[in-house]
Amino acid sequence: LYPKIRIKFLLENKFLELEKNIAHIAIRPGKKPEELNYISKSLRKIKTGLYASKSYLKKYGKFKDETDLGGHHFITTSSQLSHIPIVKWMSANIPSENILFETNLFSDIATSVITGQAIGPLLEREAALHDSLVNVVPSKKQWQNNLFVVYHMNLRSNLKIQTFTEFMVKNF
């Protein structure tokens, strides 16, 4: 599509300091970045719900609602990701004895939920790809998150940055 643009995709669970040239562009969930020297453009809203596999529900019983925690196992993220709304909610509402394990990788959560090990937070978009998943607590408005493309203002006239940013805003 754009042969002169090469993308190197790095996943980090921390906010990179773009002024240090660690990366040219960041894709960030959460609230709009407040750094004055960053330019950000909204990509989309992310909807997240709590999901379980049909095999998990068969083994541990139906999940009535978010107050029905008895006997259920959950997987969540480490406190490193506590800025994510659903993670905050889980931290405040799910007793530690119900947490099977914590991870800092959403891919671990997806694998655990899909394979029937626990109930966990997944993006609605991702969960829709798996017929074996059941949305046990639908996305709440307070769990919704924004996704932004962010770059340092010194790169605002860079044609590659402009092209990539425009592409992401149009297509994401």
Side-chain angles (χ1 to χ4, degrees):
L1 195 57
Y2 296 98
K4 295 191 181 202
I5 294 179
R6 193 180 105 221
I7 297 172
K8 184 177 181 182
F9 191 70
L10 304 171
L11 282 175
E12 292 283 341
N13 284 331
K14 60 184 178 186
F15 291 136
L16 298 176
E17 297 175 35
L18 298 175
E19 61 274 5
K20 292 185 178 178
N21 270 342
I22 295 169
H24 293 110
I25 295 176
I27 308 295
R28 289 188 178 175
K31 61 182 183 168
K32 185 173 182 170
E34 295 175 354
E35 295 91 343
L36 296 176
N37 53 352
Y38 287 4
I39 296 171
S40 62
K41 299 188 187 251
S42 180
L43 292 176
R44 68 176 354 205
K45 281 217 180 281
I46 303 171
K47 292 182 178 180
T48 310
L50 285 177
Y51 289 84
S53 71
K54 291 175 184 173
S55 64
Y56 172 91
L57 294 173
K58 186 175 180 181
K59 184 175 182 179
Y60 293 101
K62 291 197 178 196
F63 189 85
K64 295 176 188 76
D65 59 32
E66 64 254 33
T67 62
D68 177 33
L69 303 176
H72 287 288
H73 305 290
F74 294 84
I75 178 172
T76 188
T77 67
S78 60
S79 59
Q80 210 177 17
L81 299 172
S82 62
H83 62 280
I84 298 171
I86 195 168
V87 174
K88 275 186 202 170
W89 181 89
M90 289 181 77
S91 212
N93 292 282
I94 298 176
S96 59
E97 61 267 15
N98 291 78
I99 303 293
L100 185 63
F101 72 94
E102 294 180 11
T103 180
N104 64 345
L105 298 172
F106 275 98
S107 58
D108 289 347
I109 292 175
T111 299
S112 295
V113 172
I114 291 165
T115 59
Q117 297 174 40
I119 296 170
L122 293 176
L123 298 175
E124 285 184 355
R125 249 174 110 166
E126 180 180 6
L129 300 173
H130 303 278
D131 292 335
S132 64
L133 296 180
V134 175
N135 186 318
V136 294
V137 180
S139 182
K140 297 174 177 288
K141 189 169 178 109
Q142 69 262 28
W143 292 354
Q144 289 182 14
N145 218 349
N146 291 307
L147 195 61
F148 294 93
V149 62
V150 183
Y151 57 95
H152 193 275
M153 66 183 216
N154 290 346
L155 296 174
R156 71 177 162 254
S157 60
N158 182 302
L159 187 57
K160 288 181 181 180
I161 299 296
Q162 289 176 357
T163 303
F164 181 79
T165 302
E166 287 172 20
F167 175 81
M168 290 298 288
V169 168
K170 280 184 192 173
N171 297 289
F172 200 78

